[in-house]
Amino acid sequence: MTDVRVTHIGGPTALIEAGGWRLLTDPTFDPPGRRYSFGWGTSSRKTAGPALAAADLPPVDAVLLTHDHHGDNLDTAGRALLPAAGTVITTPSGARRLGGNARGLAPWSTTRLQAPGRTTIDVTATPARHGPPLSRPLTGEVTGFALHWTGQRHGVLWISGDTVLHNGVRSVAERLKVGTALLHLGGVRFPLTGPVRYSMTAAQAVELCRLLTPRTILPVHYEGWHHFRENRAAIERHLASAPTEVRDRFRWLPLGTAADISV
């Protein structure tokens, strides 16, 4: 199995179909308009709904949940999907909160998805930090995921999670060969904390991808919420001056339409 299908549903939410598995990242299916609190005086309004309704999804085998405590990564409708998924893979603290079918992974630990007639997929948690140094007590625990299976030609499929660029993320380039990078961008910030960012900017993504050298870069988490401060147009403006070997590897997925990705 060398190819996967990825459907970007909106925000951080994507359906990954690989080796007979359907994996859903960060389920967000609420309609637009609602304001969500993120704690410590921060909040944001959802400005766009999902490209696919939750009812239109095929059965989901596993949810890859980078964190459970922010509504732009797990909203009310997304949370309602979790019991029907075979497995929810998330942070250790998230698994304790969710219970049930949730598995918690500490950074660089691995769990396995296996079933008769399907490709076995190893899911490894990768470091993520949802803000500046020392912000974890405020922003909470977050994780990325690296997906590995036999037959990948270009390297693992890596999901960054909501993170800024820091040494933990740089270590992904040192420890893994990344073929496809699903990057959470958006340059998140809030009026209360001024210029402080809580997810990667385009500039950080370019710097990181120069280290990772992935074959394909798939941006997500850049539109659909008021606190996402770098939309596609802003990212593309920055990419215009980026090195060709990075710029040409960005692939914008059409919302709601499955795209085949060579892995």
Side-chain angles (χ1 to χ4, degrees):
M1 189 258 299
T2 56
D3 293 325
V4 303
R5 305 190 81 194
V6 181
T7 305
H8 186 195
I9 295 170
T13 309
L15 179 67
I16 301 170
E17 298 173 89
W21 298 91
R22 296 189 183 99
L23 313 176
L24 186 67
T25 69
D26 287 355
T28 54
F29 290 93
D30 286 356
R34 177 177 164 187
R35 179 168 288 277
Y36 298 74
S37 172
F38 298 118
W40 297 92
T42 60
S43 66
S44 183
R45 183 173 55 84
K46 189 173 187 179
T47 59
L52 294 176
D56 295 332
L57 287 177
V60 172
D61 300 302
V63 170
L64 304 176
L65 182 59
T66 66
H67 57 302
D68 68 302
H69 51 280
H70 291 157
D72 59 328
N73 294 82
L74 182 67
D75 60 17
T76 302
R79 192 175 292 269
L81 292 176
L82 299 184
T87 304
V88 178
I89 303 174
T90 188
T91 63
S93 59
R96 289 192 295 270
R97 285 188 291 266
L98 294 171
N101 57 350
R103 303 182 195 175
L105 290 184
W108 299 116
S109 61
T110 298
T111 191
R112 177 164 287 181
L113 298 175
Q114 56 187 149
R118 300 184 187 181
T119 298
T120 296
I121 299 179
D122 286 334
V123 182
T124 299
T126 61
R129 195 182 73 207
H130 203 355
L134 306 179
S135 63
R136 182 164 293 172
L138 300 180
T139 60
E141 192 175 31
V142 182
T143 190
F145 298 105
L147 311 183
H148 176 264
W149 57 84
T150 301
Q152 289 174 324
R153 293 171 295 180
H154 309 298
V156 302
L157 192 164
W158 178 57
I159 302 159
S160 71
D162 284 12
T163 185
V164 296
L165 181 59
H166 69 293
N167 286 338
V169 173
R170 291 186 182 95
S171 70
V172 174
E174 298 169 358
R175 299 179 62 156
L176 300 174
K177 177 176 172 53
V178 175
T180 301
L182 196 78
L183 294 187
H184 290 214
L185 302 181
V188 165
R189 62 182 177 87
F190 299 95
L192 182 69
T193 52
V196 174
R197 302 286 180 160
Y198 297 91
S199 68
M200 269 190 284
T201 63
Q204 290 179 331
V206 168
E207 180 182 345
L208 175 61
C209 288
R210 293 182 74 171
L211 300 175
L212 292 174
T213 65
R215 185 176 189 272
T216 306
I217 304 162
L218 306 176
V220 297
H221 192 272
Y222 57 85
E223 288 179 341
W225 289 78
H226 187 259
H227 64 307
F228 293 179
R229 298 306 177 94
E230 286 190 359
N231 60 15
R232 176 174 174 173
I235 296 167
E236 288 184 321
R237 284 195 297 271
H238 188 87
L239 289 177
S241 59
T244 302
E245 66 269 19
V246 172
R247 181 177 66 246
D248 290 350
R249 297 182 184 191
F250 270 75
R251 179 171 174 183
W252 299 92
L253 298 174
L255 284 174
T257 301
D260 292 326
I261 308 295
S262 176
V263 299

